[in-house]
Amino acid sequence: MFDFSDLLEEHSVPFVAYEKRDGDWADNGDWVPAGKLVPINLKGAIFPLTKDDLQYAENGTYSEKDRKIYTTHVLEVGQRLLYKNITYTIQGMEDYSDYMDINIYYARWAGDESSSG
């Protein structure tokens, strides 16, 4: 298996992932009720999609506002992310787990047309 974690760390940026909790204690010691979305600070490399990525995929058509995320963290389809004050939704992933130690996700832009960025 290829170890890309050092290369990933070099190009990583902070982003926030929102996780639904099943009713447990948060990192700060507060109780989080079931179903509540909790922001989690993560890091990963976030890139615009390539021309090949922009072609029709099984999840639908992507746009130039969508992103590709490389991270060691496990994300879920449908999970919301916040990066540079723009919200994205995980649409799919490329499974290379047999070959490398990072996960690759496609994130669809979920902002509105009037927002900047």
Side-chain angles (χ1 to χ4, degrees):
M1 180 182 302
F2 295 103
D3 180 2
F4 289 104
S5 58
D6 287 342
L7 182 62
L8 180 64
E9 183 62 32
E10 183 179 328
H11 297 284
S12 286
V13 294
F15 67 94
V16 175
Y18 292 91
E19 293 183 351
K20 268 191 183 173
R21 293 290 175 103
D22 291 330
D24 65 11
W25 298 100
D27 293 339
N28 66 2
D30 292 340
W31 177 254
V32 179
K36 182 172 180 177
L37 290 176
V38 176
I40 308 295
N41 294 316
L42 301 176
K43 289 180 78 175
I46 300 178
F47 298 105
L49 299 181
T50 66
K51 289 181 183 180
D52 288 339
D53 293 328
L54 289 171
Q55 293 177 357
Y56 186 80
E58 70 181 64
N59 306 42
T61 305
Y62 290 108
S63 79
E64 292 178 358
K65 294 180 181 181
D66 300 332
R67 297 291 180 255
K68 202 172 198 180
I69 301 170
Y70 296 76
T71 183
T72 56
H73 305 285
V74 176
L75 303 172
E76 302 291 329
V77 171
Q79 187 171 8
R80 293 274 179 147
L81 308 176
L82 185 65
Y83 170 64
K84 290 188 173 181
N85 291 320
I86 300 170
T87 302
Y88 296 90
T89 304
I90 298 296
Q91 295 293 305
M93 88 173 277
E94 292 183 15
D95 185 5
Y96 291 107
S97 58
D98 289 342
Y99 310 105
M100 62 180 151
D101 58 341
I102 61 174
N103 303 309
I104 303 171
Y105 297 94
Y106 289 97
R108 185 159 306 201
W109 178 78
D112 77 40
E113 292 295 333
S114 65
S115 66
S116 62

